Every structure is written in structure tokens, then in C-alpha cells.
């Protein structure tokens, strides 16, 4: 115990093993949008271990209570920790047994507080979260990052989804999308991510939440096409390429 | 209420299964000046009679805003009431901060009741000597609750607490079936008239009563004296015309109510068998 700093200070070497410094098993993008009856959310089922696509059946979207759906990218173990926090939150909410229940807005704000407070202690939960839901006819879609940045919008995404999916959504999203159009739009985004994000795997789920509840689809794969002529012999015209 | 050997400590039961200290705390509520509350589907109105120690002093504050959607009127030890209001404000603001959503009234009331219960089960504490009429709005509609020093709480369509509250209760009992669909203004008028009942002959002026409203789209606020006086003036003039007709009614009404009153009352001083908090 040669260290001069008290053990419970988070900045001494001994306590470094107590806080998150880098993520280990991570999930990639989550994409979500509001449609006519509620929220549609998509995420693939990959858990990467650095550059290895190690786990291929990770469920990154989970229902929360009666009214919300949570999708997460980033460290999978931290996502599991968040699910435990929310489980306890919903449990206490149910124990009141009084006809009131926490809606997606309340859950989103609770998560924001948790993420921001952890960030302030230099011990973040290494996730970007997407929280969607419907309560009393009101649709809600928001996101929180590991540093506590939070906002609501008609369509949100995490990670690479922000760069590849959001531009597509900005062009093609409109109010009152039908379920089929919404799924088609999400699949378009996920296909682009599959082509261009190296941590994406071709096994995804689409979840929907409406006033009636949550449905998470069975895992399925997207059709891909690799025979584009531009991809054949791509180095042909390149000078000085290796 | 008789002085006896089981009433020194709140943690001592009497052989009849009563906690006298708690019952004495409820007496303190009955001695305070009157407070009334009534609700419709969309609004809740609180009213109270303002007592001042002397003509030179200001009135005691008995109605507190707890949040935009909740307010409380107290009767009894106003100091205890102030402390509990501060607790309620704290709970509301903490909930708002964490969830960006107003605290459901029912939950606040349960937390308040649990806080009061603690004081009935610790030898180093005493029960809070204040009754609270909690008025609030949330997703499930308009609510009016009464919190006792005993730690019990009840939801009401209309209620009155404090001294001479029986007169107001009688007035409210006669009309409460209409309150659900009452308009906001009619509700306020009924509140002022219920207050008038507790004054028993004293002239009703806006300086001796306080009225507060909370409703859908209307955050909790206390009505200013001018507005209240205007409403009083509208029915004082109508009442002058009706006076000869209403007087005999009022007399018989009071007698019938007195009988009803002892049965419906919490039973403290008049009914020796049942303990108040059993109801």
C-alpha cells in the first residue's frame, strides 16, 4: 500500500481496475425511426471482440416495462448492467401497484441521469443507447450517449449509423410511415451498414413497439450483392497501387 | 378524551388497542382553523379560513404550492405543516429532475403517509400534529387526498378539516354528487360557500379566506384577494334576496347533519368505542 492516494479515489492505479477504461465486447450501430403506429428499431446480433466478430447471437434490443424498448451499442456487459438497473426501476414502479407507470420519456431521462453521473465519476457505462416507446398514443424516440448527451428525434442512430444511416433517413423519412415502408427504410440503412461497417454481421433483428406492446422479430439476414462491376478487379486502373 | 396512564408515550398501547398520542395529534388537527377541498373531473379547489393572532399580525399561511400540479392545505400545527410541505416539494422536484415528468399525486401521498407512520412507532418522536388536504392532477385525473397524523390517507370527492369543519362537510355532503361535472368557476364558488359555513355567522370577506385552484392546463396557484372578493359579492347579493327562505332550511339542515355527523365522523371525541385511525 505504497500509494499516497486514498484507495477510494478513482484516479490511483489500484482503482483503475475498478473503472471502465476501454470496451471489450462491443455491439455496433442501432437505428430507429418513428412510424405511424409507434417505433421501429433495428440492430444486428454481433458482439465483436476487438476486430474479431466473435459472438453472433447477441440480442441488443430489449423491452423495458410495458411502454419502452431499449437498444444499445458499445460494451455488452455494460448493457447488461443497465438492464439490471432498469429491471429494478420497473420492479419498484410495479410495486406501487397504483395504475401509474413509467413511460418511455421517464425511462429515457432516468438513463440520461445514470449515464451522466457515471461519466462525471470517470467510470462510464460504455454504451450509446436508443430508447423508444409509445404511451397513451404519444410516440417517443430518444438517445443517450456514454457521456450523457441526450436528445429526442424522429429518427436516431448510434455509432456508424449516425454517418451512414441518418443521411438516408433525413432524405426518406416522413410522418406516418406505414409498417412496411418503415421496415423497408430500416433494411436499406442496415444494408448500407452491412456493406460498409466492418463490425457489422449479417444477422439482424427488427423490433417494433406500439401502444399494444413490443415485438422483436426472429433473426434474419439481408440479401447482399457483391457482383457490381466496379468491385471486380478494383485495382485495375490504379497507378502505383500494391 | 380522558387523561389516562397509557397516553404518555406514542409507543404505548392502551388495553383497548389504541395509541392515545396519535389520537391527541388528530385532536390538534381538529383545533386548527378550517380547510376544505373539493374536486371535479378536471379541477381541484382548496380553501381555508385565515386566522390571525391579533389585528396587528399577518395571517398564517395554510396553503402551499408543492409543484405546478400539486398543492396542499393544512390544519393543525402550521409549523409541522410547513416542514411536511418542504418534504413534499423536495420529493416532487427530485422526481421531476430524474424523470422529467410530474410526480403522480398518489405516490406522493403514500410517501407522506409512510413518513407520518414512522412517527407513530418511535419512542423518541412525536406524531405530526397536522392534517393535510393534498390536491393534485396527474395522468389518471384530478385527485384530493386527506393525510392524517396517524399515517392513514384517504381519497375524497370533497372534504373539510379543522374547527367547525362539520358545517362545511354537511354543505359538501349535500352537493358532492354534482361536483364531478362542475365547471371550474362553480367549483370555486362551492368552495367559498363551504368556507362560509364554517364561519357560522361571521361576515365572509376575502381577507379571512384563501382559495387555491389546480386544473388541466392551470398550474396550482392561489387566487388573489380581488378575484375572491368579486365571487363573494356575486352570491352575497343573491343570498340577501333568498335569506328569509334559506334560514329555516339551514336550521333543520344543521340538526340532521349533526346526527349524520357523529356517525360519519372519525369518532374521536364523541364515539368512545372505535379508534379514529381504524376507519
Amino acid at each position: 500500500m505504497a500509494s499516497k492516494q486514498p484507495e477510494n479515489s478513482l484516479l490511483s492505479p489500484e482503482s483503475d481496475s475498478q473503472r471502465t477504461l476501454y470496451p471489450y465486447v462491443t455491439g455496433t450501430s442501432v437505428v430507429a425511426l418513428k412510424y405511424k403506429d409507434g417505433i421501429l428499431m433495428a440492430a444486428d446480433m454481433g458482439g465483436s471482440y476487438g476486430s474479431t466478430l466473435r459472438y453472433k447471437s447477441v440480442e441488443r434490443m430489449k423491452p423495458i416495462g410495458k411502454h419502452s424498448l431499449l437498444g444499445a451499442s458499445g460494451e455488452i456487459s455494460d448493457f447488461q448492467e443497465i438492464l439490471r438497473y432498469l429491471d429494478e426501476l420497473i420492479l419498484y414502479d410495479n410495486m406501487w401497484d397504483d395504475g401509474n407507470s413509467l413511460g418511455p420519456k421517464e425511462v429515457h431521462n432516468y438513463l440520461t441521469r445514470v449515464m451522466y453521473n457515471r461519466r462525471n465519476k470517470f467510470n462510464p457505462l460504455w454504451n450509446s443507447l436508443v430508447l423508444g416507446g409509445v404511451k397513451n398514443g404519444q410516440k417517443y424516440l430518444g438517445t443517450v450517449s456514454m457521456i450523457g448527451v441526450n436528445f429526442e428525434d424522429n429518427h436516431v442512430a448510434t455509432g456508424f449509423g449516425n454517418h451512414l444511416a441518418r443521411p438516408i433517413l433525413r432524405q426518406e423519412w416522413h410522418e406516418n410511415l406505414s409498417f412496411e415502408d418503415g421496415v423497408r427504410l430500416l433494411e436499406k440503412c442496415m444494408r448500407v451498414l452491412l456493406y460498409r461497417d466492418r463490425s457489422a454481421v449479417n444477422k439482424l433483428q427488427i423490433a417494433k413497439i406500439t401502444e399494444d406492446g413490443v415485438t422483436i422479430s426472429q433473426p434474419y439476414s439481408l440479401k447482399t450483392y457483391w457482383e457490381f462491376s466496379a468491385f471486380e478487379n478494383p485495382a485495375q486502373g490504379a497507378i502505383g497501387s500494391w | 378524551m380522558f387523561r389516562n396512564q397509557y397516553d404518555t408515550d406514542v409507543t404505548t398501547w392502551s388495553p383497548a388497542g389504541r395509541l392515545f398520542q396519535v389520537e391527541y395529534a388528530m385532536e390538534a388537527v381538529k383545533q386548527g382553523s378550517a380547510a376544505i377541498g373539493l374536486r371535479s373531473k378536471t379541477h381541484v379547489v382548496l380553501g381555508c379560513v385565515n386566522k390571525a393572532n391579533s389585528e396587528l399580525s399577518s395571517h398564517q399561511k395554510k396553503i402551499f404550492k408543492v409543484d405546478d400540479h400539486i398543492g396542499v392545505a393544512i390544519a393543525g400545527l402550521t409549523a409541522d405543516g410547513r416542514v411536511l410541505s418542504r418534504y413534499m416539494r423536495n420529493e416532487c422536484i427530485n422526481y421531476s429532475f430524474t424523470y422529467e415528468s410530474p410526480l403522480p399525486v398518489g405516490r406522493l401521498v403514500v410517501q407522506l403517509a409512510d413518513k407520518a407512520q414512522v412517527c407513530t412507532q418511535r419512542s423518541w418522536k412525536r406524531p405530526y400534529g397536522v392534517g393535510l388536504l393534498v390536491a393534485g392532477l396527474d395522468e389518471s385525473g384530478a385527485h384530493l387526498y386527506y393525510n392524517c397524523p396517524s399515517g392513514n390517507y384517504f381519497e375524497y370527492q370533497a372534504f373539510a378539516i379543522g374547527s367547525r369543519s362539520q358545517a362545511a362537510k354537511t354543505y359538501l355532503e349535500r352537493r358532492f354528487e354534482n361536483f364531478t361535472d362542475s365547471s371550474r368557476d362553480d367549483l370555486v364558488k362551492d368552495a367559498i360557500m363551504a368556507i362560509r359555513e364554517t364561519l357560522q355567522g361571521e361576515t365572509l370577506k376575502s381577507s379571512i379566506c384563501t382559495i387555491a385552484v389546480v386544473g388541466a392546463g392551470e398550474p396550482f396557484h392561489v387566487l388573489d384577494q380581488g378575484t375572491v372578493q368579486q365571487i363573494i359579492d356575486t352570491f352575497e347579493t343573491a343570498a340577501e334576496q333568498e335569506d328569509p327562505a334559506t334560514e329555516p332550511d339551514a336550521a333543520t339542515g344543521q340538526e340532521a347533519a349533526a346526527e349524520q355527523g357523529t356517525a360519519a365522523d372519525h369518532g374521536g371525541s364523541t364515539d368512545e368505542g372505535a379508534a379514529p385511525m381504524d376507519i
Side-chain angles (χ1 to χ4, degrees):
Chain A
M1 294 277 263
S3 159
K4 284 205 179 113
Q5 286 176 322
E7 199 53 56
N8 52 16
S9 148
L10 286 172
L11 296 175
S12 68
E14 282 88 351
S15 47
D16 274 1
S17 62
Q18 306 286 342
R19 60 190 177 100
T20 307
L21 296 170
Y22 6 77
Y24 285 90
V25 180
T26 57
T28 185
S29 326
V30 178
V31 190
L33 48 79
K34 280 190 194 168
Y35 80 109
K36 182 162 57 86
D37 304 323
I39 312 289
L40 280 167
M41 199 184 293
D44 68 24
M45 301 193 75
S48 305
Y49 186 66
S51 54
T52 307
L53 302 178
R54 188 157 172 196
Y55 303 104
K56 300 194 186 163
S57 293
V58 182
E59 275 204 37
R60 295 195 292 116
M61 295 182 296
K62 293 283 183 188
I64 310 290
K66 283 192 295 244
H67 307 284
S68 314
L69 177 64
L70 176 68
S73 66
E75 174 61 57
I76 299 297
S77 63
D78 281 350
F79 175 50
Q80 290 169 346
E81 184 77 352
I82 289 170
L83 289 176
R84 263 189 353 96
Y85 281 145
L86 289 177
D87 200 37
E88 197 175 320
L89 182 74
I90 300 292
L91 178 72
Y92 281 112
D93 190 42
N94 290 338
M95 271 165 59
W96 281 102
D97 197 20
D98 65 351
N100 289 305
S101 55
L102 292 171
K105 179 170 163 120
E106 288 82 19
V107 177
H108 183 223
N109 278 286
Y110 171 80
L111 284 172
T112 306
R113 291 293 116 231
V114 171
M115 301 300 270
Y116 183 63
N117 276 306
R118 290 287 297 252
R119 163 261 199 204
N120 284 340
K121 296 195 286 195
F122 277 89
N123 186 16
L125 289 159
W126 206 286
N127 295 106
S128 285
L129 305 169
V130 172
L131 198 296
V134 191
K135 190 171 180 218
N136 297 334
Q138 296 271 56
K139 303 189 278 263
Y140 187 91
L141 181 59
T143 179
V144 200
S145 77
M146 66 187 261
I147 57 172
V149 175
N150 75 306
F151 53 89
E152 284 172 64
D153 208 339
N154 293 320
H155 47 81
V156 295
T158 66
F160 260 80
N162 275 312
H163 301 105
L164 300 175
R166 292 299 294 290
I168 301 176
L169 293 167
R170 284 184 202 118
Q171 288 273 48
E172 302 193 19
W173 183 90
H174 58 86
E175 262 321 330
N176 290 322
L177 279 164
S178 71
F179 174 73
E180 292 76 20
D181 284 343
V183 172
R184 206 172 301 135
L185 193 45
L186 275 181
E187 283 185 349
K188 185 170 181 180
C189 295
M190 295 305 280
R191 186 171 288 109
V192 173
L193 285 165
L194 179 59
Y195 282 133
R196 294 296 178 175
D197 178 5
R198 70 160 196 187
S199 5
V201 300
N202 196 2
K203 184 175 172 195
L204 71 145
Q205 291 177 303
I206 296 204
K208 101 168 138 76
I209 178 165
T210 64
E211 191 75 54
D212 303 324
V214 173
T215 328
I216 305 185
S217 73
Q218 288 290 73
Y220 69 102
S221 303
L222 294 171
K223 286 209 184 57
T224 56
Y225 182 70
W226 300 93
E227 307 311 312
F228 289 108
S229 56
F231 293 159
E232 279 171 34
N233 205 4
Q236 184 169 44
I239 307 160
S241 72
W242 30 265
Chain B
M1 278 295 177
F2 315 105
R3 194 81 176 64
N4 51 48
Q5 51 180 162
Y6 305 110
D7 68 355
T8 312
D9 229 287
V10 74
T11 50
T12 306
W13 288 98
S14 82
R18 296 159 77 162
L19 292 169
F20 281 109
Q21 279 296 307
V22 178
E23 294 181 25
Y24 296 164
M26 290 170 47
E27 265 308 302
V29 177
K30 291 186 201 151
Q31 304 298 332
S33 57
I36 60 115
L38 42 143
R39 68 166 166 146
S40 70
K41 219 183 307 180
T42 53
H43 288 78
V44 195
V45 180
L46 292 173
C48 68
V49 171
N50 287 336
K51 252 200 235 152
N53 282 335
S54 74
E55 272 185 34
L56 299 170
S57 78
S58 63
H59 301 294
Q60 280 211 310
K61 188 166 172 191
K62 285 164 47 86
I63 294 192
F64 299 91
K65 175 169 177 169
V66 167
D67 201 343
D68 283 334
H69 67 298
I70 302 183
V72 63
I74 62 171
L77 267 53
T78 36
D80 285 1
R82 211 176 51 240
V83 158
L84 288 177
S85 301
R86 185 164 54 232
Y87 168 75
M88 293 165 79
R89 285 174 177 165
N90 215 36
E91 291 300 302
C92 280
I93 212 170
N94 284 339
Y95 189 91
S96 266
F97 174 70
T98 310
Y99 301 103
E100 280 238 2
S101 201
L103 175 57
V105 195
R107 294 193 182 184
L108 179 61
V109 162
V110 173
Q111 283 173 259
L112 197 54
D114 288 347
K115 194 173 162 69
Q117 191 280 340
V118 170
C119 298
T120 67
Q121 212 175 4
R122 306 279 185 271
S123 60
W124 61 90
K125 287 184 182 252
R126 63 157 178 84
Y128 287 105
V130 63
L132 301 111
L133 283 171
V134 183
L137 231 68
D138 59 27
E139 260 180 14
S140 47
H143 299 279
L144 174 68
Y145 289 93
Y146 170 51
N147 276 68
C148 262
S150 60
N152 280 333
Y153 67 95
F154 309 91
E155 184 158 13
Y156 285 97
Q157 190 69 40
F159 200 51
I161 57 177
S163 68
R164 296 188 285 208
S165 59
Q166 188 49 53
K169 264 189 243 172
T170 314
Y171 175 87
L172 295 168
E173 269 167 29
R174 260 186 269 135
R175 281 155 211 259
F176 76 94
E177 269 145 359
N178 302 328
F179 288 161
T180 318
D181 299 311
S182 241
S183 75
R184 174 222 189 261
D185 293 331
D186 282 340
L187 215 63
V188 175
K189 221 176 277 184
D190 273 316
I192 298 180
M193 292 181 79
I195 299 263
R196 188 172 61 162
E197 299 294 316
T198 67
L199 295 172
Q200 303 227 335
E202 239 180 282
T203 0
L204 175 65
K205 299 179 288 209
S206 64
S207 55
I208 52 172
C209 69
T210 309
I211 305 286
V213 191
V214 63
E218 190 180 351
F220 185 90
H221 64 286
V222 175
L223 301 182
D224 72 278
Q225 286 217 342
T227 320
V228 178
Q229 190 59 49
Q230 273 182 337
I231 305 175
I232 294 176
D233 292 335
T234 53
F235 58 76
E236 285 289 280
T237 46
E240 274 167 26
Q241 293 163 1
E242 281 177 40
D243 247 337
T246 49
E247 262 181 279
D249 273 357
T252 48
Q254 293 271 12
E255 279 167 17
E259 285 162 27
Q260 263 183 10
T262 45
D265 205 9
H266 284 275
S269 48
T270 48
D271 185 354
E272 285 161 27
M277 57 275 208
D278 287 344
I279 300 166

